Each structure stands twice: as structure tokens, then as C-alpha cells.
Amino acid sequence: MEYEDKTGRPSKPPSPKQNVRKNLDFEPLSTTALILEDRPANLPAKPAEEAQKHRQQYEEMVVQAKKRELKEAQRRKKQLEERCRVEESIGNAVLTWNNEILPNWETMWCSRKVRDLWWQGIPPSVRGKVWSLAIGNELNITHELFDICLARAKERWRSLSTGGSEVESEDAGFSAADREASLELIKLDISRTFPNLCIFQQGGPYHDMLHSILGAYTCYRPDVGYVQGMSFIAAVLILNLDTADAFIAFSNLLNKPCQMAFFRVDHGLMLTYFAAFEVFFEENLPKLFAHFKKNNLTPDIYLIDWIFTLYSKSLPLDLACRIWDVFCRDGEEFLFRTALGILKLFEDILTKMDFIHMAQFLTRLPEDLPAEELFASIATIQMQSRNKKWAQVLTALQKDSREMEKGSPSLRH
């Protein structure tokens, strides 16, 4: 809208600066000080008593503000001291790992001192090295084998993009449609891997590395192929290792009995793992176990996602890496111990929920889950039932399962 002067002719509107200058006479320095302002000239002046009361109120406000500032300054100081303490602790741990433990890995890795250090979390700068050593390389995969698998994967991508259908002898048992579906799923899954980090998506710095590892694995293990969830495991390894070493760790990790059972979707073995988990669930958290049973909340509803991605999708990344630290030390047992630690941490909340709310809560855990609280909860979980440890319980259940299969006519035919 145009402004008009007294003669009715259009004129320029006043500039923002002019408006500000015009209002400055009436604007106090802060909203807190408004109470001290005299009333505008066109209103009656404040009575002396009211002015005195406002002065007292203002002084009280200033005192309270100073208290808040002091409290905030103390909080910041405490935060800074804690950060310095953590950084010093990490620095000392790095020296211990690099100078004492890693050079003497074979003799030291299972010592009490190293196990205690391990529980506290492996420093990020040595994490990849420790994980590689702990996971091992039973498959004897070399960097050269990775290069061969990667070259084969790239050739397959080219073939699919040009509409080729040649089948290599190693893949003769797997249809072109299966291989194409696997490669398409990789592309889709990469875009959904740690989306908040924006480093694995198309154009991100780690996109090609993740694509390479997953593509190479489908060539290395065409019998397994690509399964949803693998991208999260590969991504966590990429953040801590170079590409070839990440592939070696990835392939060996997926070759462990628990991971192989889940990624090959061996229903019988998966049910055995769930049954073993429930033995320790009932032992450690009988009240919550009964509540889950009453509501028909079975372990597969929440455990599958946790196990498939080794908690990397369900927990904050820093916390997931700490879970991985101890998983590399203790093996599959720790994955189920962690699950019980999570259930114990939220036991009071979960016992008040129905089936739907429990399932929703466990499939989308709180994002601000505190690491120390979770590890304190995990520490209280006893992985022993009637003097039997995890491995013994699992073996006994596997044996029972096999005997049931042998004895059941319906299963034989």
C-alpha cells in the first residue's frame, strides 16, 4: 500500500530505521526492566507506593536472574570438567591399548585387566583394530579375494544395467531374477542406512564403500545373498575400518552361528535361540516375563530387528558401538544379555503397557537412552540358569529340537 502526504500525493513509506529511532524513546533495555518504566505522558503517573513495590519486584527479579546465571555457570563448569575427565580417560586407554594390549594380543586379550577395559568401551581410534582381532578371520579372506568379488559384482551390475543375462558357473543355482532382486534391495537399503548421518546415501562419502562391500558379499556368498539389515552392520564396520578390512570382518561376522541362523532365515534354529533367550528372561525378570506371556508378546517381535542389525538401527550409534565392543569380546551371548538389560531398564514402564504399546515401544526405543544406565542394567543380568550357561542351554535346546524332528512322523514326511 502506498503512503500519501497531507496533499494526497503518494509518498515513500518511512524506512525501518526511522521507525526504530521513533520507538527508541519508549523501548526499555530489557523486558525485565519494563516494570521500572514510568507510564506514558498521556496516563496518570504511578503512585509512590506502586513505584516502590515495582522497584522491589525488579530487585527480586535481578537476584533470581543472578542465581540462575550462577547455577548455569556451575553446570557448564561441571560439564567441562566431566568432558576433560572423559577425554583424559580415553587418552590413557588409547596408550594402554596401543602400547600394552595390541602388541601382546594373544596373551593379553582374555586377561581380567583387558576385559575390564573392554567393558568401559574401546577408544574409537583403536576400535577397528580390536574388532578385527576379536572377530578373527577363520574364512582366511584376503584383500585379493575382496578385489575379485568386487570386480565380479561390478561386472554383474554392468550386465544387469545393459540387460545381459549371462550366468557364471558359481551362480548357476541362483536365478538372474534373484540376483537382480538382491542388487535392487542393496540400492534401496543403502538409502535407508543411518539416514540422519547423510554419509551413506547417494553422493555421500561412504556410499560407494558400502555398495562395494554389500555387492562383493553377494558374490562371495551367493547362497546367502543380500538380506535386509546387513547394510547397518557393514556401515558400522566402514566407520571403523578401511574397505577391504571391513569386508573381511563383515564376512566373518556373518559366518558366526547366530548371524548365519538369522540371515539364512533358519526358522528352526531361530526358534531355538528365542527359546534359550526366554529361559534367561524368566530367570532374570520373572514378573515382566509373565506380563509378556499374558499379553502374547513373543521374542521375535522385538528381537529380530535387534539381532539382525546388532542394535545399530535400534540404539544411538555411539551406544551401539559400545554394545559391539563387548559383543566382540563375549560373542552372541552378549546380544541376548543386552536385550535383557534393555527390558530390565524399562521394566516398570513395560509392565503398565498392553501388547500394542509394548511392541511399539520395543521397536522404537528412546533416542536419548543413557549408555551408563544401560550398561549398569546389563551388568545385573545373570546368564546362568540352574547352573547352566548360555552355550549349554542353547546346545540342550538344539538337541531337544533335533530329537523332536526325528521322532515326529509329520516332520519326517
Side-chain angles (χ1 to χ4, degrees):
M1 174 183 170
E2 287 189 331
Y3 285 77
E4 292 183 352
D5 64 13
K6 288 178 182 177
T7 61
R9 288 175 303 196
S11 68
K12 289 183 182 176
S15 73
K17 284 186 179 177
Q18 286 172 324
N19 276 340
V20 170
R21 279 199 295 274
K22 205 173 174 184
N23 294 334
L24 272 178
D25 297 337
F26 304 99
E27 287 183 353
L29 292 176
S30 75
T31 52
T32 309
L34 271 169
I35 203 166
L36 291 179
E37 288 293 304
D38 290 329
R39 288 175 182 165
N42 60 336
L43 294 175
K46 283 184 190 177
E49 286 176 18
E50 190 181 347
Q52 176 63 23
K53 182 185 170 188
H54 285 173
R55 260 194 298 276
Q56 284 174 347
Q57 286 176 338
Y58 175 70
E59 284 165 9
E60 283 172 19
M61 287 179 195
V62 170
V63 168
Q64 290 302 320
K66 282 182 178 175
K67 278 183 183 175
R68 281 196 299 273
E69 280 177 18
L70 182 63
K71 200 173 178 181
E72 180 61 21
Q74 287 171 339
R75 189 190 67 79
R76 281 200 301 266
K77 186 185 174 190
K78 193 176 176 183
Q79 214 173 30
L80 185 63
E81 285 172 353
E82 176 61 16
R83 196 182 304 151
C84 290
R85 188 192 65 75
V86 169
E87 285 174 4
E88 186 182 356
S89 171
I90 291 172
N92 291 336
V94 169
L95 289 174
T96 305
W97 280 100
N98 277 329
N99 298 341
E100 296 177 37
I101 303 168
L102 291 174
N104 306 293
W105 178 258
E106 291 302 326
T107 54
M108 283 196 73
W109 76 270
C110 54
S111 69
R112 168 56 56 192
K113 177 187 175 180
V114 174
R115 288 181 67 81
D116 289 346
L117 256 183
W118 215 317
W119 179 266
Q120 291 161 26
I122 300 167
S125 61
V126 294
R127 184 169 264 151
K129 181 70 176 165
V130 175
W131 285 1
S132 284
L133 288 166
I135 293 167
N137 187 10
E138 285 183 1
L139 298 171
N140 294 315
I141 299 171
T142 60
H143 285 206
E144 289 72 29
L145 179 58
F146 167 64
D147 291 337
I148 291 166
C149 291
L150 180 56
R152 209 173 273 165
K154 286 179 177 176
E155 183 55 44
R156 188 175 296 165
W157 292 329
R158 275 194 296 272
S159 173
L160 286 171
S161 65
T162 56
S165 60
E166 59 270 16
V167 178
E168 295 175 24
S169 57
E170 300 99 303
D171 300 339
F174 308 96
S175 73
D178 286 343
R179 294 199 309 276
E180 190 164 356
S182 202
L183 294 173
E184 281 301 313
L185 187 53
I186 288 174
K187 195 186 296 182
L188 179 64
D189 244 17
I190 286 176
S191 68
R192 299 186 293 207
T193 305
F194 298 121
N196 295 342
L197 296 181
C198 300
I199 56 176
F200 294 106
Q201 287 62 40
Q202 187 76 44
Y206 293 107
H207 173 271
D208 292 349
M209 287 171 71
L210 185 53
H211 204 248
S212 296
I213 286 175
L214 298 174
Y217 184 76
T218 62
C219 290
Y220 175 65
R221 289 298 301 263
D223 56 321
V224 179
Y226 178 77
V227 181
Q228 213 167 349
M230 284 183 179
S231 65
F232 278 89
I233 296 178
V236 173
L237 290 167
I238 284 168
L239 292 173
N240 292 279
L241 291 158
D242 66 34
T243 315
D245 289 328
F247 175 77
I248 293 169
F250 179 75
S251 302
N252 279 279
L253 193 53
L254 264 53
N255 200 51
K256 306 283 182 190
C258 179
Q259 276 59 54
M260 196 48 75
F262 278 76
F263 281 112
R264 295 194 77 169
V265 197
D266 182 334
H267 291 291
L269 196 45
M270 286 169 74
L271 288 172
T272 305
Y273 273 104
F274 294 147
F277 170 75
E278 289 201 297
V279 168
F280 293 95
F281 187 178
E282 187 174 18
E283 190 84 26
N284 284 276
L285 304 164
K287 185 183 169 188
L288 187 61
F289 177 78
H291 183 66
F292 274 34
K293 282 288 182 191
K294 182 185 170 187
N295 286 276
N296 294 317
L297 188 75
T298 50
D300 56 296
I301 291 169
Y302 52 94
L303 270 187
I304 284 180
D305 208 33
W306 294 355
I307 303 299
F308 261 115
T309 63
L310 304 180
Y311 295 95
S312 56
K313 186 181 174 187
S314 314
L315 296 175
L317 186 56
D318 287 351
L319 179 51
C321 284
R322 277 198 62 186
I323 299 295
W324 278 49
D325 289 343
V326 189
F327 162 59
C328 287
R329 185 192 80 173
D330 294 354
E332 65 185 38
E333 174 185 318
F334 190 71
L335 297 177
F336 296 94
R337 191 180 177 197
T338 297
L340 293 173
I342 292 170
L343 295 179
K344 179 165 187 179
L345 188 61
F346 297 112
E347 183 174 15
D348 292 344
I349 299 170
L350 290 164
T351 46
K352 295 182 179 76
M353 292 179 174
D354 59 13
F355 173 88
I356 294 290
H357 289 96
M358 285 191 292
Q360 286 176 341
F361 182 87
L362 293 173
T363 49
R364 189 176 285 274
L365 294 169
E367 290 179 12
D368 56 350
L369 210 159
E372 296 313 319
E373 282 184 32
L374 177 57
F375 270 80
S377 181
I378 295 169
T380 64
I381 301 297
Q382 298 299 312
M383 295 302 277
Q384 195 157 318
S385 175
R386 296 173 190 167
N387 293 323
K388 283 185 178 179
K389 294 185 177 179
W390 168 265
Q392 293 169 309
V393 169
L394 186 68
T395 303
L397 286 166
Q398 283 177 307
K399 188 180 174 188
D400 291 348
S401 177
R402 281 194 295 270
E403 285 174 0
M404 278 178 67
E405 282 182 23
K406 284 178 187 174
S408 168
S410 60
L411 286 170
R412 278 205 307 270
H413 303 291

